């Protein structure tokens, strides 16, 4: 199947729903490329902060998009983020960037600047893209659309564990509060709000481990019906 018609697979969902790790694993199993579109928003935000540009100044931030580049790693995943010639993989994952990125992402002019980039990566298919609006706005004709979801508490707990914070600790509570705030901005914005496409398959991961989630997504990918024709 995948050889004859390399698919475009959209995996959207809220923060820390597992889109990136699950998406990367699904792409690896299929021999597809992988793009986590959040990296683009993070990189542009990081650069704005570096240059003391107000993240809410849409046109000024949109002008920075041209300076962001994603380079494939040795497994074809577009995970290497270069900004102004410098690799910034670690810098863009900080809480400081995370707090400001929704402000950048709600600017229509910034989203418009990033749109052709994301579409260009998807040309020719054979790619998994993770984001918030891939199935609704970036690639509404994607062959498969998956919305990965989990309760805010489960997602925050997952993130706290990854960062080595004890459940209920002040650091874990801060992660939960930050996640709530980011979700509210991402889902409440007027431009391309984070939401499942009407024809997306919803995968709720609260009671699934990583491997079970990958299997659930692969089952949707391998289903005969394309998005919108009964894959739900
Ligand atoms: O997925 P990740 O947490 O890395 O995304 C960081 C932020 O980038 C999100 O909170 C959201 O504001 C923005 N984003 C977006 N649309 C996408 C991907 C990310 O608005 N397709």
């Amino acid at each position: 199947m995948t050889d004859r018609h390399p698919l475009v697979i959209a995996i959207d969902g809220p923060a820390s729903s597992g889109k990136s790790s699950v998406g990367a694993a699904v792409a690896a199993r299929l021999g597809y490329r992988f793009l986590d579109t959040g990296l683009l928003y993070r990189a542009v935000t990081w650069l704005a902060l570096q240059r003391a540009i107000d993240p809410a100044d849409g046109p000024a931030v949109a002008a920075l998009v041209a300076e962001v580049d994603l380079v494939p790693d040795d497994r074809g995943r577009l995970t290497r983020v270069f900004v102004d010639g410098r690799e910034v993989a670690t810098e863009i994952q900080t809480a400081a960037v995370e707090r400001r990125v929704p402000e950048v992402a709600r600017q229509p002019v910034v989203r418009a600047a990033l749109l052709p980039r994301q579409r260009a990566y998807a040309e020719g298919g054979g790619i998994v893209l993770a984001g918030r609006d891939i199935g609704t706005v970036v690639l509404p004709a994607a062959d498969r659309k998956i919305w990965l979801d989990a309760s805010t508490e489960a997602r925050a707990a997952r993130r706290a564990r990854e960062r080595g914070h004890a459940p209920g600790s002040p650091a874990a509570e801060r992660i939960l509060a930050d996640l709530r705030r980011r979700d509210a901005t991402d889902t409440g914005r007027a431009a391309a709000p984070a939401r499942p496409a009407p024809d997306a398959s919803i995968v709720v991961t609260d009671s699934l481990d990583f491997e079970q989630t990958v299997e659930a997504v692969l089952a949707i990918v391998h289903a005969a019906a394309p998005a919108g024709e009964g894959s739900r």
Side-chain angles (χ1 to χ4, degrees), residues 19 37-38 41-42 101-102 105 111 131-133 182 186 189:
K19 302 178 299 293
T37 59
Y41 290 91
R42 286 170 180 265
V101 67
R111 305 199 72 83
R132 301 286 188 294
D133 62 335
R182 195 143 67 96
D186 288 343
R189 68 189 177 210

Side-chain angles (χ1 to χ4, degrees), residues 109-127:
V109 65
V110 175
R111 305 199 72 83
L114 286 170
L115 199 57
R117 280 280 196 96
Q118 298 171 77
R119 288 183 177 156
Y121 286 121
E123 263 169 37
I127 187 165

Side-chain angles (χ1 to χ4, degrees), residues 49-69:
L49 294 173
Q50 282 293 108
R51 301 246 174 106
I53 292 170
D54 179 358
D57 183 346
V61 176
L64 302 176
V65 164
E67 293 183 53
V68 172
D69 202 14

Side-chain angles (χ1 to χ4, degrees), residues 186-225:
D186 288 343
T187 57
R189 68 189 177 210
R195 68 157 76 113
D199 51 354
S201 303
I202 313 279
V203 176
V204 178
T205 67
D206 290 65
S207 60
L208 302 180
D209 64 22
F210 179 75
E211 188 52 35
Q212 289 169 327
T213 308
V214 171
E215 289 300 330
V217 172
L218 282 169
I220 293 162
V221 170
H222 290 303

Side-chain angles (χ1 to χ4, degrees), residues 115-190:
L115 199 57
R117 280 280 196 96
Q118 298 171 77
R119 288 183 177 156
Y121 286 121
E123 263 169 37
I127 187 165
V128 176
L129 295 100
R132 301 286 188 294
D133 62 335
I134 307 302
T136 51
V137 173
V138 179
L139 297 161
D143 300 289
R144 299 289 187 275
K145 299 181 186 179
I146 292 122
W147 178 267
L148 271 195
D149 212 348
S151 68
T152 319
E153 289 72 18
R155 289 182 286 119
R158 206 178 284 160
R159 175 62 69 94
R161 228 178 5 254
E162 275 165 19
R163 296 193 172 169
H165 303 306
S169 64
E173 291 301 316
R174 215 162 27 243
I175 287 175
L176 178 61
D178 282 351
L179 209 62
R180 284 209 171 104
R181 205 173 313 116
R182 195 143 67 96
D183 281 352
T185 314
D186 288 343
T187 57
R189 68 189 177 210

